[in-house]
Structures are given as C-alpha cells and as structure tokens.
Amino acid sequence: VSYQALARRWRPKTFAELTGQEHVVAALTGALDRGRLHHAYLLTGTRGIGKTTIARILAKSLNCLTNGVSSTPCGTCAACVDIDAGRFVDLLELDAASNTGIDNMREILDNARYAPTVGRYKVYLIDEVHMLSKAAFNSMLKTLEEPPEHVKFVLATTDPQKIPVTVLSRCLQFNLKPLPVAQIAARLTQILAAEKIESDAIAIDLIARAARGSLRDALSLLDQAIAHGGGSVREESVRAMLGAAAHDFVYRIADALVAGDGAALIAESDTLAANGWSPAAALDELAGLFYRIAVAQALPQAAAQFDDAARVTDYAAKLSREAVQLGYQIASQGREDLKLAPDEATGFAMTLLRLWAFEPASSEGSGEGTQRSAPPVAQALPRSAPGAKAQPAASNVATMRAAAAASPASTSVTTTREENAAKVALPADVTQWPQFVASLKLTGMAAQLAAQTEQKSLEGNVLTLKLAAAQKHLADRTYADKLKGALEAATGRKLLLAFEVGDATESSLAAQQDRARTKAKEEGERAFREEPFVRDLLSRFDATIKPDTITPIDGDKPR
Ligand SMILES: [Zn+2]
C-alpha cells in the first residue's frame, strides 16, 4: 500500500470539515443555501491556508447531482467524486504563475461563455491570478461584465494590489487568514487520534508553531515527524527534526557564503531534498539568521541574547552589512517565490544560488550587492536535477460523453467545404493515430487537444479518445467541436467524440514528439560529455552535468 500524504488524505471535503476561515465559510454557505451566489470571488492570503480546498468544495456545492445547489454536497455522486479526484472537466484549475502546459490562458477564459460540458456550472479556479497577462485579464473582464449564469470564478492571489481595479471591483473579496497555532494544534491532535498515532502535546505544539499559519505545511511537517520518530510523534524527536532542518543547516549555508563556495550551497540544497525538510521552514530560518547577524552588526552587545551568539558574532565580522541586508531580502523573497517555482526543491536551490551570485565574499568587498562574474560552468552545476515530479495518476477513468454532440451547424459547413477533398479512413489501430492527427488541418488549442489524445475505440460512430488528467482543460466543447469538424472533414463521416480522462497517454502525437525530442537531446548530451574540454572540467571540479542546461547553439532549440 503506497503511503498517501496526510495533507491529501485529510483534505476537507465539506465546508463543515474545513479548519478556520469561518468568515468565508459562513458567507459561502449562506449564499449557497439562499441561492444568491456572487459570480466571482477573490480569495487573498498566503499559501497552504485553504484556497484550493474552498474552491473545490464550492464546485461540488454547485454541481452535486444528488443534492442540487446547496452548501452540503453529497460527496458520493459522479460530480462530487470527480471534483475530489481533480478530474471534473467543468472545474478548471489554472495556475497563472506556472506554465503547466496551459499555453493560452486567454483562449480558455474566452470559452467561459460556452455552456459547461457535463456539470451545471463551470467553475474557474485561477491561482496567483495577479500574474495573468493583460490579454487574459481583458478576456476575463468581458465575462465579468456580463457574467453568464453558468460561470463562477474563484480567483486566488497573494498580491491583490496587482489586480486591475476593473476586475477587483467585480469580485467579492475575502481575506483568508493564517491559522492560529491553537487551531492548527487542535487539527493535528484530531488527525493523530484518528490515525492512532501516539504523540505528546509539546511535540504537536512545536509543529503547529513551525508551520506559521499554514495547515498544509503543518501536515507535511507531521508526515516528516512520523517518519523521523519511527511511527510516533514525541517532543525529543520533533525538536531534533526541526532543529536539524533549521540550525546546523543554516550555519553550513552561511559558511558556504562566507567562503564563496557555490558547490557547497548546491550540496546543501540536495541534502535538504534528500532529508525531506521543508524548504519554506529552512528559508525562514535562514532569514532569521541574517536578522540576528544584522542585530549583532548594529548592536554587538545585543547579540548576547541569542542562543547562537558566538556564531552570530563571528558571521557579523565576516560579512558586510550590505551583504547581510541583501541576504535577508533574498531569503525572505525566496520564501514567497517558492510557490511560483516548478517545485519547492528547485525554488530553494535557486534562492541559494541567488545568495551566492549576489553576495560579496567578505567585508572587504565592494559593499554593494554586485553580481559575481559568471561561475566556472562545471562548478555551479547541481549534482542532481531537482523536481521532475511524476504526474499523479488518476486511479479511475472518468468518461464524459456528448462533449461534441452539439452544434451540428458548424460541422455541416466544414463538411460542405471539404466535400471534394480525398477522404481517408480513421486509423485501424492506435499506433497510426499520431500520424493521422498530424495530418489534420487544425491550429491553436484544437491542435493541442488533438495532439494530446490517444485513440481508444471506435464503436459505430462514437470515437472515444483518451486524454491525460493534466490536459483535461483542452477537452472544452469549443476545441472538441473543432477537432470533430476536422475529423469529419478528413474522413467524410459523421462522428460523435467521447473523451476519457485518465492516466498520461502514451500513444498521442505529443508523447511521440516528446520521445523524439528526448532522444535528440540524449544524443546531444552524449556528444557534449565526450568533449575533451568538458571531461577535463568534470574531473577537475568533481562535478556532474545537469542535463537540462545543455542546449544546442544552432539548429533546433528545445521548447
Ligand atoms: Zn454530489
């Protein structure tokens, strides 16, 4: 049995189960039960305090098949189950900060005006909404000015000041608050009791404090504490765990900065990843150390109050004031930027590299936060590429039919125009599907949809295509209709398209292109490794190559 993270297993599925944010819950449940929902909500607040969870519960409240629109979705109907599993096609979870294959946010927002595919309401959850492009904001504004009945927006941001006033004024805004220590501790106690894991109150309190208002961080620390403590959560072991992540670790980073040793910094970030420590907590500790050093530089006698006074005083002498100020800024900004990184380990490594790149080596330095000259290539290369998270595989396959059954008018036009062209048969087996898809006259998002599909079955005129859960936003009716039109034009037959949302697809055009790209890249890397100059660098600096950093100088560029 694979272990499921506590944060995931204990994600609240109803408003009643939600910890904290009582003002938001009261407003939403009241509005749902009176049938007077606003069409756009803006949730502000830091990470890990329930924005996505609230949006998912709202999506269930609006789309539940058993209980209708209410504040108490059943949790067992197809809509509720699919929303909980993250594969409901009418809940569009978009992250404006990351590029998770969503190339055209504007086009997705344009599609808000079309009816939902399977549900009663289309719910758009847009995280870090302040990072949307201007075009995407304008597109959203068009919908917000005349909101269709079937659309609800849940916008989330850590930085509401960056949202255009025109959008802001059309949203009902809620400020989500960091959870108090007592509330986090109570929730941890409840979960530990349910999991039948032995614990003591001080250990729980230590974890609740270290989480700094984020229940998600608290549960991830609790996971680590259970592993660290061999199945129980005790004060001594939690202290050791939090201490290990915090103190020794920050001193090694400070030592590496004083020595100007970039390779040691990268080694530290690898150690962190290997031990499963929380990058957020580590950056907090690092900012805390810079703060103590700054105090010691301004008021040397005040350093005596710190537990690590001797070390702090030593760093205060070795680092310039400007370097300490800059270090504090980079560490605290890096903490904020974690949520924008492809994954936390990468974000953490980048922050350490930024510290190294901008930090003067000693107090005799220029005193400015000037950038170092380019590092010797092999030395700065990480020992391992962080990240590369596996896609969570949907355990079940959700089928949604009738996506493209509607709008016969548009397809008949296409068919007429293409009538004289030569017709081809649908591929006989899945291996020919990518080639067939490549030959279709499709552009934009419809082409992306086609490229991500795998041919599953053809029964009568029902063509079933498989689509990875991560790409389900492409199965919008607009794109599905375009794909259907192109398929009908090419084959000269009427088709009904059905989509199965499930595991990653292997036999899609996109997967085939990925494999070709990987192969070309591997060949390039092999050639690179065999270069005498590179081999010399590798042996002299005891370095390894980070494959992602190898790019061809001319010819095809990787995407
Ligand atoms: Zn339901």
Side-chain angles (χ1 to χ4, degrees), residues 6 22 200 276 401 456 516 527:
L6 288 173
E22 292 84 357
D200 58 55
R401 293 193 182 269
K456 186 83 200 232

Side-chain angles (χ1 to χ4, degrees), residues 52 55-56 59 63 82-83 86-96 102 104-105 107-119 121-127 150-156 445 469-479:
T52 309
R56 283 194 177 179
N63 285 301
D82 280 357
I83 290 168
R87 54 168 190 256
F88 189 67
V89 281
D90 290 315
L91 171 60
L92 291 108
E93 295 186 35
L94 309 171
D95 185 349
I102 298 164
N104 205 330
M105 195 71 94
E107 210 174 325
I108 290 171
L109 290 169
D110 270 347
N111 278 318
R113 62 179 182 272
Y114 298 110
T117 306
V118 292
Y121 286 91
K122 252 185 187 172
V123 180
Y124 284 78
L125 166 61
I126 308 179
D127 206 4
H150 62 261
V151 171
K152 300 288 173 208
F153 283 103
V154 181
L155 311 178
M445 299 290 273
Q471 305 290 342
K472 73 176 168 64
H473 61 277
L474 291 170
D476 191 278
R477 181 172 294 175
T478 323
Y479 317 135

